[in-house]
Amino acid sequence: EAGVTQFPSHSVIEKGQTVTLRCDPISGHDNLYWYRRVMGKEIKFLLHFVKESKQDESGMPNNRFLAERTGGTYSTLKVQPAELEDSGVYFCASSQDLARFYEQYFGPGTRLTVT
Amino acid sequence: GESVGLHLPTLSVQEGDNSIINCAYSNSASDYFIWYKQESGKGPQFIIDIRSNMDKRQGQRVTVLLNKTVKHLSLQIAATQPGDSAVYFCAENDMRFGAGTRLTVKP
């Protein structure tokens, strides 16, 4: 069974540009989460999808970030326009059962560098 | 504010020694805690969890201790191996993570 995959693995963009990150969860996992880790700091929750619906987006830093999960399968996280402080590693995770949300399987992350 | 944090950012141990990684939390309402391991280039992986009604839980070579009185969580790794080198995060049930501790195992 394939794990959670993320694309791209690395992205280097200039301030003001747009970047779209993609996450493919484990097949059959209704729950999809996005997290971010700024260099040297803690991993922070961004948002949680249940199928195509946003269950909790309390961690989204501002309106430059837009997450979608059309069809309840893969998800995208768009940053527009990117700022320097957006640099970090963006993780996606998925879980099958909301009651066991802690059994999240993480993807390898996308390292975003904004210059 | 309430937070989850770690006492030490780095820990270096000799292969074969035991490792102890600590984590402090301040939300007394948390009833579930998780330890994750993140190896270079990979996402965090679940190691072990513990509920607040327990003081100790053991896994394979790992033990998690919970002290609710002082709001402290620790992860003990027995006979640390080079493959244990990674960053370890603790998290509360609302998926708030600590900053992480980097464990380096010296041969």
PDB file of all heavy atoms in Angstrom, chain A residues 44-67:
ATOM      1  N   LYS A  44       3.366  22.949  13.268  1.00  0.00           N
ATOM      2  CA  LYS A  44       2.075  23.586  13.569  1.00  0.00           C
ATOM      3  C   LYS A  44       0.980  23.076  12.649  1.00  0.00           C
ATOM      4  O   LYS A  44       1.177  22.964  11.440  1.00  0.00           O
ATOM      5  CB  LYS A  44       2.188  25.104  13.461  1.00  0.00           C
ATOM      6  CG  LYS A  44       2.928  25.732  14.625  1.00  0.00           C
ATOM      7  CD  LYS A  44       2.676  27.223  14.704  1.00  0.00           C
ATOM      8  CE  LYS A  44       3.249  27.805  15.978  1.00  0.00           C
ATOM      9  NZ  LYS A  44       2.996  29.239  16.105  1.00  0.00           N
ATOM     10  N   PHE A  45      -0.122  22.804  13.252  1.00  0.00           N
ATOM     11  CA  PHE A  45      -1.308  22.372  12.522  1.00  0.00           C
ATOM     12  C   PHE A  45      -1.836  23.523  11.673  1.00  0.00           C
ATOM     13  O   PHE A  45      -1.890  24.661  12.134  1.00  0.00           O
ATOM     14  CB  PHE A  45      -2.367  21.926  13.536  1.00  0.00           C
ATOM     15  CG  PHE A  45      -3.752  21.758  12.972  1.00  0.00           C
ATOM     16  CD1 PHE A  45      -4.101  20.600  12.313  1.00  0.00           C
ATOM     17  CD2 PHE A  45      -4.690  22.764  13.108  1.00  0.00           C
ATOM     18  CE1 PHE A  45      -5.379  20.442  11.804  1.00  0.00           C
ATOM     19  CE2 PHE A  45      -5.972  22.621  12.610  1.00  0.00           C
ATOM     20  CZ  PHE A  45      -6.319  21.448  11.957  1.00  0.00           C
ATOM     21  N   LEU A  46      -2.210  23.212  10.444  1.00  0.00           N
ATOM     22  CA  LEU A  46      -2.811  24.220   9.568  1.00  0.00           C
ATOM     23  C   LEU A  46      -4.308  23.976   9.408  1.00  0.00           C
ATOM     24  O   LEU A  46      -5.121  24.835   9.723  1.00  0.00           O
ATOM     25  CB  LEU A  46      -2.123  24.218   8.197  1.00  0.00           C
ATOM     26  CG  LEU A  46      -0.648  24.618   8.177  1.00  0.00           C
ATOM     27  CD1 LEU A  46      -0.095  24.526   6.763  1.00  0.00           C
ATOM     28  CD2 LEU A  46      -0.452  26.014   8.735  1.00  0.00           C
ATOM     29  N   LEU A  47      -4.641  22.799   8.876  1.00  0.00           N
ATOM     30  CA  LEU A  47      -6.064  22.505   8.734  1.00  0.00           C
ATOM     31  C   LEU A  47      -6.314  21.019   8.557  1.00  0.00           C
ATOM     32  O   LEU A  47      -5.395  20.252   8.336  1.00  0.00           O
ATOM     33  CB  LEU A  47      -6.684  23.294   7.578  1.00  0.00           C
ATOM     34  CG  LEU A  47      -6.638  22.707   6.166  1.00  0.00           C
ATOM     35  CD1 LEU A  47      -7.692  23.373   5.308  1.00  0.00           C
ATOM     36  CD2 LEU A  47      -5.279  22.824   5.548  1.00  0.00           C
ATOM     37  N   HIS A  48      -7.589  20.664   8.651  1.00  0.00           N
ATOM     38  CA  HIS A  48      -8.032  19.284   8.611  1.00  0.00           C
ATOM     39  C   HIS A  48      -9.240  19.170   7.685  1.00  0.00           C
ATOM     40  O   HIS A  48     -10.215  19.898   7.853  1.00  0.00           O
ATOM     41  CB  HIS A  48      -8.381  18.841  10.045  1.00  0.00           C
ATOM     42  CG  HIS A  48      -9.109  17.545  10.141  1.00  0.00           C
ATOM     43  ND1 HIS A  48      -9.979  17.282  11.167  1.00  0.00           N
ATOM     44  CD2 HIS A  48      -9.085  16.422   9.370  1.00  0.00           C
ATOM     45  CE1 HIS A  48     -10.482  16.068  11.026  1.00  0.00           C
ATOM     46  NE2 HIS A  48      -9.942  15.523   9.949  1.00  0.00           N
ATOM     47  N   PHE A  49      -9.147  18.256   6.732  1.00  0.00           N
ATOM     48  CA  PHE A  49     -10.271  17.926   5.860  1.00  0.00           C
ATOM     49  C   PHE A  49     -10.874  16.604   6.304  1.00  0.00           C
ATOM     50  O   PHE A  49     -10.166  15.658   6.641  1.00  0.00           O
ATOM     51  CB  PHE A  49      -9.798  17.735   4.413  1.00  0.00           C
ATOM     52  CG  PHE A  49      -9.520  18.992   3.647  1.00  0.00           C
ATOM     53  CD1 PHE A  49      -8.219  19.444   3.489  1.00  0.00           C
ATOM     54  CD2 PHE A  49     -10.549  19.701   3.040  1.00  0.00           C
ATOM     55  CE1 PHE A  49      -7.948  20.589   2.760  1.00  0.00           C
ATOM     56  CE2 PHE A  49     -10.287  20.848   2.318  1.00  0.00           C
ATOM     57  CZ  PHE A  49      -8.975  21.290   2.179  1.00  0.00           C
ATOM     58  N   VAL A  50     -12.179  16.529   6.239  1.00  0.00           N
ATOM     59  CA  VAL A  50     -12.864  15.255   6.279  1.00  0.00           C
ATOM     60  C   VAL A  50     -13.528  15.124   4.920  1.00  0.00           C
ATOM     61  O   VAL A  50     -14.441  15.891   4.589  1.00  0.00           O
ATOM     62  CB  VAL A  50     -13.919  15.174   7.398  1.00  0.00           C
ATOM     63  CG1 VAL A  50     -14.648  13.833   7.330  1.00  0.00           C
ATOM     64  CG2 VAL A  50     -13.279  15.368   8.756  1.00  0.00           C
ATOM     65  N   LYS A  51     -13.017  14.185   4.152  1.00  0.00           N
ATOM     66  CA  LYS A  51     -13.394  14.098   2.751  1.00  0.00           C
ATOM     67  C   LYS A  51     -13.128  15.460   2.098  1.00  0.00           C
ATOM     68  O   LYS A  51     -12.037  15.973   2.196  1.00  0.00           O
ATOM     69  CB  LYS A  51     -14.842  13.635   2.608  1.00  0.00           C
ATOM     70  CG  LYS A  51     -15.067  12.223   3.159  1.00  0.00           C
ATOM     71  CD  LYS A  51     -16.487  11.726   2.920  1.00  0.00           C
ATOM     72  CE  LYS A  51     -16.642  10.323   3.501  1.00  0.00           C
ATOM     73  NZ  LYS A  51     -18.017   9.790   3.321  1.00  0.00           N
ATOM     74  N   GLU A  52     -14.114  16.064   1.458  1.00  0.00           N
ATOM     75  CA  GLU A  52     -13.827  17.333   0.787  1.00  0.00           C
ATOM     76  C   GLU A  52     -14.124  18.552   1.656  1.00  0.00           C
ATOM     77  O   GLU A  52     -13.888  19.690   1.239  1.00  0.00           O
ATOM     78  CB  GLU A  52     -14.622  17.420  -0.513  1.00  0.00           C
ATOM     79  CG  GLU A  52     -16.126  17.540  -0.336  1.00  0.00           C
ATOM     80  CD  GLU A  52     -16.794  16.183  -0.198  1.00  0.00           C
ATOM     81  OE1 GLU A  52     -16.088  15.167  -0.035  1.00  0.00           O
ATOM     82  OE2 GLU A  52     -18.033  16.151  -0.241  1.00  0.00           O
ATOM     83  N   SER A  53     -14.610  18.325   2.858  1.00  0.00           N
ATOM     84  CA  SER A  53     -15.010  19.439   3.719  1.00  0.00           C
ATOM     85  C   SER A  53     -13.909  19.832   4.689  1.00  0.00           C
ATOM     86  O   SER A  53     -13.245  18.979   5.269  1.00  0.00           O
ATOM     87  CB  SER A  53     -16.264  19.060   4.514  1.00  0.00           C
ATOM     88  OG  SER A  53     -17.333  18.769   3.645  1.00  0.00           O
ATOM     89  N   LYS A  54     -13.778  21.124   4.918  1.00  0.00           N
ATOM     90  CA  LYS A  54     -12.823  21.623   5.895  1.00  0.00           C
ATOM     91  C   LYS A  54     -13.419  21.477   7.281  1.00  0.00           C
ATOM     92  O   LYS A  54     -14.373  22.170   7.633  1.00  0.00           O
ATOM     93  CB  LYS A  54     -12.478  23.085   5.602  1.00  0.00           C
ATOM     94  CG  LYS A  54     -11.703  23.264   4.313  1.00  0.00           C
ATOM     95  CD  LYS A  54     -11.461  24.731   3.991  1.00  0.00           C
ATOM     96  CE  LYS A  54     -10.772  24.857   2.646  1.00  0.00           C
ATOM     97  NZ  LYS A  54     -10.620  26.263   2.217  1.00  0.00           N
ATOM     98  N   GLN A  55     -12.847  20.569   8.062  1.00  0.00           N
ATOM     99  CA  GLN A  55     -13.327  20.318   9.419  1.00  0.00           C
ATOM    100  C   GLN A  55     -12.819  21.372  10.395  1.00  0.00           C
ATOM    101  O   GLN A  55     -13.518  21.792  11.301  1.00  0.00           O
ATOM    102  CB  GLN A  55     -12.865  18.931   9.863  1.00  0.00           C
ATOM    103  CG  GLN A  55     -13.308  18.508  11.241  1.00  0.00           C
ATOM    104  CD  GLN A  55     -14.757  18.071  11.267  1.00  0.00           C
ATOM    105  OE1 GLN A  55     -15.384  17.896  10.217  1.00  0.00           O
ATOM    106  NE2 GLN A  55     -15.311  17.896  12.444  1.00  0.00           N
ATOM    107  N   ASP A  56     -11.562  21.758  10.174  1.00  0.00           N
ATOM    108  CA  ASP A  56     -10.925  22.718  11.080  1.00  0.00           C
ATOM    109  C   ASP A  56      -9.818  23.419  10.308  1.00  0.00           C
ATOM    110  O   ASP A  56      -8.902  22.767   9.840  1.00  0.00           O
ATOM    111  CB  ASP A  56     -10.348  21.965  12.289  1.00  0.00           C
ATOM    112  CG  ASP A  56      -9.649  22.872  13.292  1.00  0.00           C
ATOM    113  OD1 ASP A  56      -9.537  24.090  13.049  1.00  0.00           O
ATOM    114  OD2 ASP A  56      -9.208  22.360  14.330  1.00  0.00           O
ATOM    115  N   GLU A  57      -9.939  24.707  10.144  1.00  0.00           N
ATOM    116  CA  GLU A  57      -8.894  25.460   9.452  1.00  0.00           C
ATOM    117  C   GLU A  57      -8.351  26.559  10.358  1.00  0.00           C
ATOM    118  O   GLU A  57      -7.861  27.582   9.881  1.00  0.00           O
ATOM    119  CB  GLU A  57      -9.398  26.027   8.126  1.00  0.00           C
ATOM    120  CG  GLU A  57     -10.661  26.845   8.212  1.00  0.00           C
ATOM    121  CD  GLU A  57     -11.131  27.305   6.829  1.00  0.00           C
ATOM    122  OE1 GLU A  57     -10.297  27.522   5.937  1.00  0.00           O
ATOM    123  OE2 GLU A  57     -12.354  27.449   6.667  1.00  0.00           O
ATOM    124  N   SER A  58      -8.414  26.310  11.643  1.00  0.00           N
ATOM    125  CA  SER A  58      -8.002  27.313  12.614  1.00  0.00           C
ATOM    126  C   SER A  58      -6.515  27.628  12.570  1.00  0.00           C
ATOM    127  O   SER A  58      -6.086  28.666  13.066  1.00  0.00           O
ATOM    128  CB  SER A  58      -8.381  26.849  14.023  1.00  0.00           C
ATOM    129  OG  SER A  58      -7.742  25.631  14.333  1.00  0.00           O
ATOM    130  N   GLY A  59      -5.720  26.730  12.000  1.00  0.00           N
ATOM    131  CA  GLY A  59      -4.288  26.957  11.965  1.00  0.00           C
ATOM    132  C   GLY A  59      -3.786  27.694  10.738  1.00  0.00           C
ATOM    133  O   GLY A  59      -2.593  28.014  10.657  1.00  0.00           O
ATOM    134  N   MET A  60      -4.653  27.971   9.806  1.00  0.00           N
ATOM    135  CA  MET A  60      -4.223  28.674   8.591  1.00  0.00           C
ATOM    136  C   MET A  60      -3.772  30.084   8.983  1.00  0.00           C
ATOM    137  O   MET A  60      -4.525  30.838   9.602  1.00  0.00           O
ATOM    138  CB  MET A  60      -5.364  28.726   7.583  1.00  0.00           C
ATOM    139  CG  MET A  60      -5.749  27.356   7.067  1.00  0.00           C
ATOM    140  SD  MET A  60      -4.500  26.669   5.972  1.00  0.00           S
ATOM    141  CE  MET A  60      -5.178  27.178   4.392  1.00  0.00           C
ATOM    142  N   PRO A  61      -2.549  30.457   8.621  1.00  0.00           N
ATOM    143  CA  PRO A  61      -1.981  31.714   9.112  1.00  0.00           C
ATOM    144  C   PRO A  61      -2.657  32.978   8.594  1.00  0.00           C
ATOM    145  O   PRO A  61      -2.780  33.951   9.337  1.00  0.00           O
ATOM    146  CB  PRO A  61      -0.520  31.644   8.666  1.00  0.00           C
ATOM    147  CG  PRO A  61      -0.479  30.626   7.575  1.00  0.00           C
ATOM    148  CD  PRO A  61      -1.585  29.680   7.806  1.00  0.00           C
ATOM    149  N   ASN A  62      -3.080  32.964   7.355  1.00  0.00           N
ATOM    150  CA  ASN A  62      -3.726  34.158   6.795  1.00  0.00           C
ATOM    151  C   ASN A  62      -4.383  33.796   5.460  1.00  0.00           C
ATOM    152  O   ASN A  62      -4.318  32.639   5.025  1.00  0.00           O
ATOM    153  CB  ASN A  62      -2.694  35.284   6.601  1.00  0.00           C
ATOM    154  CG  ASN A  62      -1.471  34.805   5.841  1.00  0.00           C
ATOM    155  OD1 ASN A  62      -1.585  34.377   4.689  1.00  0.00           O
ATOM    156  ND2 ASN A  62      -0.311  34.853   6.474  1.00  0.00           N
ATOM    157  N   ASN A  63      -4.969  34.789   4.829  1.00  0.00           N
ATOM    158  CA  ASN A  63      -5.728  34.499   3.606  1.00  0.00           C
ATOM    159  C   ASN A  63      -4.846  34.333   2.372  1.00  0.00           C
ATOM    160  O   ASN A  63      -5.355  34.179   1.263  1.00  0.00           O
ATOM    161  CB  ASN A  63      -6.793  35.572   3.364  1.00  0.00           C
ATOM    162  CG  ASN A  63      -6.190  36.955   3.248  1.00  0.00           C
ATOM    163  OD1 ASN A  63      -4.975  37.109   3.152  1.00  0.00           O
ATOM    164  ND2 ASN A  63      -7.031  37.975   3.268  1.00  0.00           N
ATOM    165  N   ARG A  64      -3.548  34.328   2.566  1.00  0.00           N
ATOM    166  CA  ARG A  64      -2.678  34.004   1.428  1.00  0.00           C
ATOM    167  C   ARG A  64      -2.606  32.500   1.211  1.00  0.00           C
ATOM    168  O   ARG A  64      -2.074  32.037   0.212  1.00  0.00           O
ATOM    169  CB  ARG A  64      -1.264  34.563   1.667  1.00  0.00           C
ATOM    170  CG  ARG A  64      -1.225  36.091   1.716  1.00  0.00           C
ATOM    171  CD  ARG A  64       0.214  36.598   1.811  1.00  0.00           C
ATOM    172  NE  ARG A  64       0.852  36.240   3.069  1.00  0.00           N
ATOM    173  CZ  ARG A  64       1.742  35.289   3.201  1.00  0.00           C
ATOM    174  NH1 ARG A  64       2.114  34.569   2.149  1.00  0.00           N
ATOM    175  NH2 ARG A  64       2.279  35.032   4.381  1.00  0.00           N
ATOM    176  N   PHE A  65      -3.114  31.763   2.157  1.00  0.00           N
ATOM    177  CA  PHE A  65      -3.091  30.304   2.095  1.00  0.00           C
ATOM    178  C   PHE A  65      -4.489  29.788   1.757  1.00  0.00           C
ATOM    179  O   PHE A  65      -5.465  30.168   2.399  1.00  0.00           O
ATOM    180  CB  PHE A  65      -2.648  29.709   3.434  1.00  0.00           C
ATOM    181  CG  PHE A  65      -1.196  29.919   3.740  1.00  0.00           C
ATOM    182  CD1 PHE A  65      -0.731  31.154   4.155  1.00  0.00           C
ATOM    183  CD2 PHE A  65      -0.292  28.877   3.608  1.00  0.00           C
ATOM    184  CE1 PHE A  65       0.617  31.363   4.425  1.00  0.00           C
ATOM    185  CE2 PHE A  65       1.054  29.062   3.884  1.00  0.00           C
ATOM    186  CZ  PHE A  65       1.508  30.309   4.295  1.00  0.00           C
ATOM    187  N   LEU A  66      -4.541  28.928   0.739  1.00  0.00           N
ATOM    188  CA  LEU A  66      -5.813  28.344   0.330  1.00  0.00           C
ATOM    189  C   LEU A  66      -5.638  26.851   0.131  1.00  0.00           C
ATOM    190  O   LEU A  66      -4.806  26.420  -0.656  1.00  0.00           O
ATOM    191  CB  LEU A  66      -6.307  28.984  -0.975  1.00  0.00           C
ATOM    192  CG  LEU A  66      -7.579  28.374  -1.563  1.00  0.00           C
ATOM    193  CD1 LEU A  66      -8.761  28.590  -0.625  1.00  0.00           C
ATOM    194  CD2 LEU A  66      -7.873  28.956  -2.938  1.00  0.00           C
ATOM    195  N   ALA A  67      -6.417  26.088   0.860  1.00  0.00           N
ATOM    196  CA  ALA A  67      -6.372  24.638   0.739  1.00  0.00           C
ATOM    197  C   ALA A  67      -7.663  24.135   0.124  1.00  0.00           C
ATOM    198  O   ALA A  67      -8.743  24.632   0.444  1.00  0.00           O
ATOM    199  CB  ALA A  67      -6.149  23.989   2.100  1.00  0.00           C
TER     200      ALA A  67
END
